[in-house]
Amino acid sequence: MAPPLRLTQRGRRVVAGLSVAIGLTIAAVTVTVVQVSGGGLELAGSSTVVVQPGDTLWSIALTSAPDKDPRGVVDAIVDLNDLGGVGLVPGQVLELP
């Protein structure tokens, strides 16, 4: 049976340094993945809708907030999604207020 491995003071420092380096590498990769994927965090209650053929901002506003004035909801959707106009494209994903 082989004797147990014994590290010198220098060997312990090397192992500690490698451990820190590996931890920092994992943290950096995690931050990069989260940033590339769009953050990963979403506010509770936030929702989106996928535009279907024939949808308008008005119809989406009426469906998403039937108890509110659709004019204000349309304005909020336009502001929230940085829309340049009222034209929508089927398949487009819109965040709802």
Side-chain angles (χ1 to χ4, degrees):
M1 182 169 183
L5 180 65
R6 298 182 72 175
L7 291 176
T8 62
Q9 181 75 17
R10 183 177 178 192
R12 284 189 286 258
R13 287 182 184 163
V14 169
V15 170
L18 286 174
S19 298
V20 170
I22 290 171
L24 290 174
T25 302
I26 291 171
V29 169
T30 302
V31 167
T32 303
V33 168
V34 169
Q35 287 177 345
V36 169
S37 67
L41 296 177
E42 215 173 282
L43 295 176
S46 69
S47 60
T48 59
V49 64
V50 178
V51 176
Q52 301 298 318
D55 279 350
T56 62
L57 285 173
W58 191 265
S59 67
I60 292 170
L62 287 173
T63 304
S64 66
D67 56 331
K68 294 185 180 177
D69 182 7
R71 294 172 291 190
V73 178
V74 167
D75 288 341
I77 293 171
V78 169
D79 291 341
L80 187 61
N81 293 282
D82 296 325
L83 299 177
V86 294
L88 300 177
V89 178
Q92 182 177 6
V93 178
L94 296 176
E95 290 185 49
L96 298 176

